[in-house]
Amino acid sequence: MIALLRNQFDLAWALTDLHLSVLADDDHLWEPGPLVWTVHEDASGRWWPDFADIEPDPIPVPTIGWLTWHMIFWWSTALAHVEGRPPPPRSEIDWPGPAAAVQQIGALSARWSRLLESLTDADLLVPSAFPWGPNSGRSLADTVLWLNVELTKNAAEIGQLRLLRSALLTSS
């Protein structure tokens, strides 16, 4: 089973890297419409995401900057849970900027890949509370599957925004 999960992750990462590797800095803060979630620079030069504990209706369209922050957030949290460390609070995870975000996501991918290489099929049966919460009845296999899907979803969102922006710039 772990071999299948590793292969699935490798495919999801290849699709993600396809889009991340060609992003221009300006792509990250492009707003595709009037209702967006993005990242904002504070007076000290740190970038913070828009966020609500209860998803608003209508749901804002995320910018690529927000999506890359979100990837850093959930991946850092997933790694902390799986490695048995306390996860960093969401409110302490800032966005490091365009190039640094892509680099940080690449580093998180490498850490996750090393983690997957260290797992056995038996490890996948260990209970895992992330991202469902305690007493969920879920296993580490569920967490790995969730991460692969979340990564694929974020890759598709980033890719669609990148392609849409490129098409609009080309037609202008």
Side-chain angles (χ1 to χ4, degrees), residues 22-92:
V22 295
L23 288 174
D25 286 357
D26 290 347
D27 291 333
H28 290 261
L29 298 179
W30 176 69
E31 296 184 2
L35 180 62
V36 298
W37 269 357
T38 191
V39 289
H40 305 276
E41 190 173 20
D42 69 15
S44 71
R46 291 181 74 183
W47 292 83
W48 299 100
D50 293 325
F51 194 83
D53 288 321
I54 298 172
E55 199 167 79
D57 183 19
I59 299 170
V61 177
T63 62
I64 290 173
W66 190 93
L67 288 165
T68 56
W69 165 81
H70 188 244
M71 293 173 75
I72 292 166
F73 163 64
W74 61 251
W75 220 335
S76 298
T77 302
L79 279 162
H81 277 280
V82 172
E83 293 169 347
R85 296 179 291 107
R90 178 195 47 79
S91 60
E92 293 179 15

Side-chain angles (χ1 to χ4, degrees), residues 91-126:
S91 60
E92 293 179 15
I93 300 176
D94 62 350
W95 183 67
V102 170
Q103 290 173 345
Q104 191 169 348
I105 292 166
L108 290 165
S109 171
R111 281 180 57 200
W112 188 256
S113 184
R114 285 191 302 273
L115 175 89
L116 292 178
E117 288 298 319
S118 74
L119 296 176
T120 65
D121 285 349
D123 294 327
L124 295 174
L125 302 176
V126 171

